[in-house]
């Protein structure tokens, strides 16, 4: 959230300021506390839930919600606590499952 091109607000939830509040997760009504990712607007709708494996942050599958944009192509951009963690994770090729495509009525 504090990278040079970042503003701390999210394209899909502009009132949820991740920089000001120091958060990297979002309390989804259906999936609980999930990580936040950015995608290109043509790939996944806001509110989509994905599940992927990334052993550098968790031994368990990671659940994330699309709450931001500004990513090119088919990339996902995982919000992390700080720059050191971002470098630690780095760029990786992953596969993921889409569990929900866009907001459900109870979450929008």
């Amino acid at each position: 959230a504090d990278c040079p091109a970042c503003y701390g607000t999210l394209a899909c939830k502009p009132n949820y300021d991740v920089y000001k509040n120091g958060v990297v997760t979002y309390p989804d009504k259906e999936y609980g506390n999930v990580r936040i990712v950015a995608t290109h607007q043509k790939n996944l709708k806001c509110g989509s839930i994905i599940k992927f494996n990334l052993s550098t942050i968790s031994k368990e599958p990671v659940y994330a919600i699309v709450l931001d944009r500004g990513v090119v192509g088919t990339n996902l951009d995982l919000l992390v606590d700080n720059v050191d963690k971002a470098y630690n994770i780095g760029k990786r090729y992953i596969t993921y499952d889409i569990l929900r495509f866009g907001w459900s009525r109870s979450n929008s």
Side-chain angles (χ1 to χ4, degrees):
D2 63 351
C3 73
C6 302
Y7 301 103
T9 56
L10 304 167
C12 303
K13 283 282 188 181
N15 293 332
Y16 194 74
D17 191 324
V18 294
Y19 182 67
K20 178 181 168 188
N21 297 316
V23 295
V24 296
T25 59
Y26 180 79
D28 185 77
K29 291 178 185 175
E30 187 177 354
Y31 286 90
N33 207 29
V34 293
R35 300 296 299 251
I36 298 170
V37 293
T39 65
H40 189 279
Q41 65 186 14
K42 292 183 180 179
N43 291 334
L44 291 169
K45 293 180 179 183
C46 289
S48 294
I49 297 285
I50 61 170
K51 178 179 85 167
F52 60 92
N53 292 309
L54 188 57
S55 61
T56 53
I57 62 169
S58 175
K59 293 180 182 179
E60 301 295 320
V62 176
Y63 293 84
I65 186 168
V66 175
L67 289 183
D68 206 7
R69 299 298 185 197
V71 178
V72 184
T74 58
N75 293 335
L76 295 174
D77 190 5
L78 178 68
L79 180 63
V80 294
D81 304 67
N82 58 54
V83 173
D84 289 337
K85 284 189 182 179
Y87 282 126
N88 211 17
I89 294 170
K91 291 184 178 183
R92 302 184 187 271
Y93 290 99
I94 63 167
T95 58
Y96 58 89
D97 296 312
I98 300 170
L99 305 179
R100 180 177 77 208
F101 192 67
W103 293 108
S104 65
R105 290 184 182 176
S106 64
N107 284 320
S108 53

